Amino acid sequence: MPPKKKPVTASNAVTQSSSATVAIPTTINLPTTSTTTTTATALTTAQKKIQWCWAGDSGVGASQDILIEYDSKVNSEIESHYQMHLLKPKVIKYLKFKLDKERYIDFKNMVQARYDDPNKMRTVERQEIVPGLALPPPTTNKTSKRRGKIINSDDSDTASEDNSSDSSDSDVSDDNDDDDDEDDEDYIARWFWAGDSNGGPSKGGGHQDIWVEYDDLSMRKKLEKAFASGKKKLKVDEERFVDFQNMLQRRYDDKSKRRNLKREDPLKVRPKKTLTKSQKISNAATALNAMAASHANTTTPTTTTTTTSTIPPTTTTTTTTSGKVLGKRTTSTLTSSTDTQKPTLASTMSTISISDIIKCPSTWTDVDSMNYKEVDVKPSENEFQWMSKLFSQTISSNHKGISTLSPIVFNDLKVTRVVRVQNPMLWVSYHARKQKILDDNNGSCPPIHSVITNIPGGPDLDKKANELFLFHGLNVSSVAGIAKFGFDPRFCSLDGMFGAGLYFAENSSKSNQYCHSGACTCSGFQATSCKCKASDEVCLLVCRVVMGDCLVENVFRGNGPGQFWNGRRTEPKKPNNINIYNSVIGESKPNYGPKAALQLREYIVYESSQVFVEYKVYFKRIK
């Protein structure tokens, strides 16, 4: 175990030892501001030091009431490993860092634990120290006890061989333990698994053709809590577990035996709770870390920000160098209004706007953490009205008034509910990928013409990156998992026309053919076995898709053995046989002529980070 020290202070902060062999530095250039007037600031550069500490005991009877630094070399190795964990959070080997033969650090729960008894743990903290700024207060014993409570939650999937990566996250809230309305079922989502009708196939019944509800309220609470906290698995009983990432119920003895899972949104939404100052600081730090990890290999141009304050500070107006006002967002304040006041790190971090850090869409509201959030868009809002136009105006005449691949005849698709998905962690990854594509194409990609989803009134898009809003149809049972965890190209079929990619449409009616809801358990366009009713409310995903430099396939080159698209899982190469296209468009007959193979356009990408699910849109087929 590293020797004990007193917590580091800004005055004695030093850079890491040059003997460290890791590549990621623990000293970072940080822009700070020195204010001489209320209207102008001068930029200086300070060194921000990363220091890892663990919670020790100050004396007999004390418990985890002091912070003890890891020594220079170990500190640097921990930070390097931690950055790899942020960059690749799903890779198991980066979830933990081995300190010695007896102890390790669990990054997911931010604790130092023992190999012989994982229940013996101590809190660890990652501090970002800036010379001249006061440190935030150390973690209290109360926080340590709470974290221990979370880690020892009985929701852990202990029977899974991967349980080390499935324990509850450290930011899982136990708020519902004290809520007066915790037993109100309207606040809890309904969960279903796909069962067999009439005794199953052996007795002449169906197979996974009915939805069976988890009707036990306690189980519903566990499912919803685990899903909300980002867990990937949850134990149902000794034989079965839930795979949230793929929305399946599986068996421990044979994971290939699986049944589809469905989540229905709760009827009520719990009132928003005000965050404490320490929570704001922690959330802002999480956002900064996520951005740093996602942009590790991307050169991103920065934007100079000028802040003008009045004394007393009644108003703050922030503009970028382009002169665009950032609207209602709370902007970061890096300096105090007078020369005599010295800002603390805590006060600085508590006023940083996460929305500005991660550069999220301007339509997002209440971005106070990096947690997943869904926001109901009201019918009176412009966003809802734009979505209604997007659905109605992109219906193909080929689909109106006739039974196509979908058995429900309709003339219009009426939007009934719009849910905005605010998923900061996936957004950071998406934004980094978009910036990488722009960098690879010298800041601007060849434009894509005749995109019918470019309807005025919607959220801003990056036209230089060929960012588009496109539709994706699916069974409603898959909606929750994809919105939360994103698309996974590994599950794409090689039988697709352009290989195993992620397929999107610009026609709402085309994607509608893949939508199933209500009692129907089908997926894809299976008109013969579809049990959808005309009265069912179905769901489409409206996604941002970065097409970048796109290959337009005017004349289809085939997907049979030996043909161009056979067995493809990656983007096609450009004529120089070195660089690659970022996406593919399967061109339509109306746009190219009779030699095109498709009646309607299809858009395909092969990288999940090029897609961000922005809306879950519920609608009905109106005859």
Side-chain angles (χ1 to χ4, degrees):
M1 176 56 61
K4 293 185 176 182
K5 304 178 184 178
K6 293 181 180 180
V8 69
T9 63
S11 60
N12 64 8
V14 293
T15 57
Q16 295 300 312
S17 169
S18 60
S19 62
T21 57
V22 292
I24 298 179
T26 54
T27 316
I28 304 171
N29 287 337
L30 176 73
T32 62
T33 57
S34 175
T35 307
T36 58
T37 68
T38 59
T39 59
T41 60
L43 289 177
T44 61
T45 302
Q47 291 290 315
K48 180 176 70 173
K49 179 191 174 188
I50 305 301
Q51 180 63 53
W52 286 82
C53 307
W54 58 281
D57 305 331
S58 61
V60 178
S63 177
Q64 301 195 38
D65 60 337
I66 62 171
L67 291 177
I68 303 173
E69 293 180 2
Y70 293 99
D71 66 34
S72 176
K73 182 178 179 180
V74 174
N75 184 77
S76 186
E77 291 173 351
I78 294 172
E79 178 65 14
S80 177
H81 205 86
Y82 178 70
Q83 291 297 333
M84 292 303 299
H85 165 64
L86 293 178
L87 189 62
K88 301 179 179 180
K90 296 182 181 180
V91 179
I92 295 177
K93 69 178 182 179
Y94 295 131
L95 289 173
K96 298 178 181 179
F97 173 78
K98 181 178 179 180
L99 289 168
D100 50 37
K101 293 182 179 180
E102 298 178 348
R103 303 169 182 85
Y104 64 91
I105 292 177
D106 177 354
F107 290 121
K108 194 169 186 179
N109 298 301
M110 290 301 280
V111 295
Q112 176 182 286
R114 295 181 61 89
Y115 286 111
D116 57 354
D117 187 355
N119 290 323
K120 293 181 179 180
M121 60 190 72
R122 291 181 176 272
T123 302
V124 297
E125 286 197 7
R126 179 181 182 273
Q127 296 181 343
E128 298 181 355
I129 304 165
V130 182
L133 297 182
L135 287 174
T139 302
T140 62
N141 197 35
K142 179 180 178 181
T143 305
S144 304
K145 289 181 178 179
R146 175 172 171 76
R147 182 173 281 122
K149 176 182 178 182
I150 294 169
I151 294 169
N152 292 312
S153 167
D154 60 5
D155 291 346
S156 298
D157 184 11
T158 53
S160 171
E161 63 184 10
D162 298 325
N163 76 326
S164 62
S165 63
D166 299 328
S167 57
S168 299
D169 289 338
S170 58
D171 60 353
V172 176
S173 173
D174 289 323
D175 292 334
N176 62 350
D177 294 341
D178 303 320
D179 285 346
D180 295 333
D181 54 6
E182 65 174 347
D183 293 324
D184 188 340
E185 295 189 31
D186 288 346
Y187 286 108
I188 304 170
R190 299 174 66 191
W191 289 83
F192 304 80
W193 56 278
D196 303 332
S197 62
N198 301 320
S202 62
K203 298 182 179 180
H207 176 61
Q208 295 200 38
D209 58 342
I210 59 172
W211 290 112
V212 181
E213 185 172 6
Y214 294 93
D215 54 3
D216 180 71
L217 183 59
S218 176
M219 188 63 202
R220 284 172 58 189
K221 284 184 179 181
K222 287 186 177 182
L223 285 164
E224 187 63 14
K225 181 178 179 180
F227 177 76
S229 64
K231 287 184 63 174
K232 295 181 180 179
K233 296 180 182 179
L234 178 71
K235 179 180 178 181
V236 175
D237 52 35
E238 295 302 321
E239 298 179 346
R240 300 171 296 168
F241 67 94
V242 167
D243 175 358
F244 288 112
Q245 189 165 9
N246 300 301
M247 291 301 284
L248 298 170
Q249 179 179 276
R250 298 179 184 268
R251 294 183 62 87
Y252 286 116
D253 56 355
D254 186 353
K255 293 183 180 180
S256 64
K257 293 181 179 179
R258 59 192 190 183
R259 291 183 177 270
N260 290 327
L261 201 68
K262 181 173 77 167
R263 174 186 181 272
E264 289 187 357
D265 292 334
L267 298 176
K268 297 179 182 178
V269 179
R270 295 187 187 277
K272 184 179 181 296
K273 295 186 177 182
T274 304
L275 295 180
T276 64
K277 186 174 182 179
S278 61
Q279 287 174 322
K280 291 179 181 179
I281 294 171
S282 175
N283 292 340
T286 301
L288 287 167
N289 289 335
M291 286 294 289
S294 293
H295 290 266
N297 298 316
T298 304
T299 302
T300 307
T302 58
T303 304
T304 304
T305 303
T306 305
T307 304
T308 305
S309 301
T310 62
I311 303 176
T314 55
T315 59
T316 300
T317 303
T318 301
T319 61
T320 63
T321 51
S322 62
K324 182 178 179 180
V325 178
L326 294 178
K328 296 181 180 179
R329 295 180 182 172
T330 304
T331 55
S332 55
T333 305
L334 295 177
T335 62
S336 60
S337 59
T338 67
D339 294 330
T340 58
Q341 295 176 330
K342 292 183 178 180
T344 63
L345 183 60
S347 63
T348 298
M349 293 294 286
S350 65
T351 56
I352 290 179
S353 168
I354 293 178
S355 57
D356 286 334
I357 294 173
I358 66 174
K359 299 180 175 63
C360 67
S362 59
T363 50
W364 287 20
T365 57
D366 297 327
V367 188
D368 50 16
S369 74
M370 294 297 285
N371 295 335
Y372 177 90
K373 180 186 296 182
E374 293 184 355
V375 178
D376 280 313
V377 180
K378 297 178 181 178
S380 60
E381 296 181 45
N382 292 335
E383 207 172 351
F384 190 102
Q385 295 166 14
W386 166 77
M387 189 65 71
S388 295
K389 292 179 182 177
L390 186 66
F391 268 64
S392 294
Q393 294 181 17
T394 58
I395 298 174
S396 170
S397 58
N398 298 338
H399 299 143
K400 285 187 175 183
I402 58 174
S403 178
T404 56
L405 296 176
S406 174
I408 308 299
V409 178
F410 65 91
N411 287 291
D412 193 15
L413 302 177
K414 182 180 180 180
V415 173
T416 54
R417 187 156 55 107
V418 176
V419 178
R420 186 194 315 119
V421 175
Q422 298 183 182
N423 196 342
M425 295 305 292
L426 286 188
W427 173 263
V428 167
S429 184
Y430 171 80
H431 183 272
R433 176 64 176 169
K434 177 163 70 74
Q435 187 59 51
K436 181 64 168 61
I437 288 175
L438 282 172
D439 292 345
D440 290 344
N441 289 279
N442 298 318
S444 183
C445 303
I448 300 173
H449 301 287
S450 305
V451 180
I452 65 174
T453 56
N454 287 338
I455 295 176
D460 292 336
L461 294 170
D462 192 335
K463 294 183 179 179
K464 291 184 178 180
N466 283 328
E467 184 181 31
L468 308 174
F469 276 114
L470 297 172
F471 301 102
H472 185 83
L474 67 176
N475 190 299
V476 72
S477 64
S478 301
V479 167
I482 292 177
K484 179 101 175 182
F485 298 103
F487 288 91
D488 191 342
R490 293 176 299 175
F491 292 92
C492 297
S493 172
L494 288 169
D495 294 332
M497 189 171 179
F498 300 94
L502 303 172
Y503 287 70
F504 299 87
E506 62 178 0
N507 297 92
S508 58
S509 56
K510 180 177 176 67
S511 291
N512 167 67
Q513 297 174 126
Y514 297 78
C515 291
H516 303 273
S517 187
C520 186
T521 60
C522 290
S523 61
F525 43 88
Q526 302 179 23
T528 55
S529 57
C530 178
K531 295 182 180 180
C532 288
K533 300 178 181 178
S535 58
D536 287 339
E537 184 183 59
V538 288
C539 182
L540 264 179
L541 298 180
V542 176
C543 308
R544 287 179 185 261
V545 183
V546 178
M547 299 297 290
D549 189 0
C550 182
L551 169 65
V552 180
E553 182 83 342
N554 291 317
V555 180
F556 183 55
R557 285 174 276 184
N559 192 13
Q563 294 182 310
F564 184 80
W565 297 103
N566 181 251
R568 178 168 297 280
R569 285 193 177 275
T570 58
E571 302 90 338
K573 290 185 177 180
K574 293 182 178 181
N576 62 14
N577 208 34
I578 299 175
N579 299 327
I580 62 170
Y581 290 100
N582 304 123
S583 61
V584 174
I585 288 181
E587 193 55 282
S588 64
K589 293 180 184 295
N591 286 336
Y592 184 73
K595 290 185 178 181
L598 295 167
Q599 291 295 332
L600 300 172
R601 258 187 183 178
E602 292 188 1
Y603 297 77
I604 306 95
V605 296
Y606 301 85
E607 171 60 53
S608 59
S609 59
Q610 283 178 232
V611 182
F612 181 79
V613 178
E614 186 136 353
Y615 296 98
K616 300 192 306 184
V617 183
Y618 296 86
F619 64 98
K620 289 189 175 182
R621 298 136 170 166
I622 306 300
K623 191 172 182 181

